[in-house]
Amino acid sequence: MSDAAQPTAAEVRAAAEAVKAALDRHLAAVENRTGDDDPAVYDAFNALAVAAETYDERLYDRYDEVTPFEIPGADESLPPYTGPDEPNALSVLIRRDYAVVEPQRLLAQAQRITAADPDEGVTRDGRSAAGSVHAALGVLFGEYEPDEIVSQHKEFGLEEGDSTLWVSALDELPEAGEWLTNPFEQADPQRVVIRFDVSAVFDEDDLGEDLDDLDEAGL
C-alpha cells in the first residue's frame, strides 16, 4: 500500500477512541438489558464489531500490527445474498438444542402443571403425562411458548446447547400449510438476510483460549 493511501496516525487514534466508545455503549446496553433478545444489546454488539474491525484495519495499514480480538460471526459461512433488495415477506427459522440434565426437576414441573389442569396430564393411552421424560416434555412445551422456555430452561431441568436463527427473504408468503410437513427443507442460504448463532464452540472454548493466551502474556 502506498503512503498516500495509508491512514494517518490521527485516523488510527480516532478508530481506537471509537472502539472505546463502542465498548462503553455495549456494556451499558448489557447492564440495562430487558431480556435475552434485547435489541439494544444486539445493536451495540454490531456497533462494537464494526468499530473493532475498522480499528484493526487501520492499525494494520498504518503500523503493520494487528489486535488480538476476533468477534465470531456466522455470516461468513453463508454464500453471497441473491434475494430481493425489497423482500415482500420473510421466513424466520429457529433451532434451539437442550440437554435434559435434571430429569427429576423436569418431571416435577410437569406434575405441577398437570395438577392445575388434570385433563392436560393424560396421554392418549391413558397414562400420566408426567410419568416419563418424554411425556413431561410434551406437557412442558404444550404449556409454555418456546421463548418462555428459553428464559426459564434451568427451572425445567434443561441446559442450553447450540442455537441458530435465520431470517430469509421471500418473494411472497407460501400457501397456507404448504411447507408444514418439511419446515426447514426449502431454506435457501442465498436468501438469508441475517443469521445469528450461539455455540459453545466460540462462546466458551475460544474465550477460554483467549484468556489463557492473555494470562501467559502477563495481561
Side-chain angles (χ1 to χ4, degrees), residues 89 170-181 186:
L170 302 177
D171 295 319
E172 59 184 15
L173 287 177
E175 294 293 331
E178 182 179 13
W179 52 265
L180 293 180
T181 54
Q186 298 178 356

Side-chain angles (χ1 to χ4, degrees), residues 8 28 38 40 42 54 80 92 114 133 137 166-167 194 202 210 212:
T8 65
D38 190 333
Y42 182 76
T54 300
V92 180
T114 56
V133 170
L137 286 170
W166 292 22
V167 179
I194 186 170
F202 48 69
D210 291 343
D212 290 341

Side-chain angles (χ1 to χ4, degrees), residues 7 52-62 65:
E53 183 177 3
T54 300
Y55 171 62
D56 190 84
E57 291 176 352
R58 292 184 177 177
L59 185 71
Y60 180 78
D61 290 342
R62 178 69 186 182
E65 291 288 345

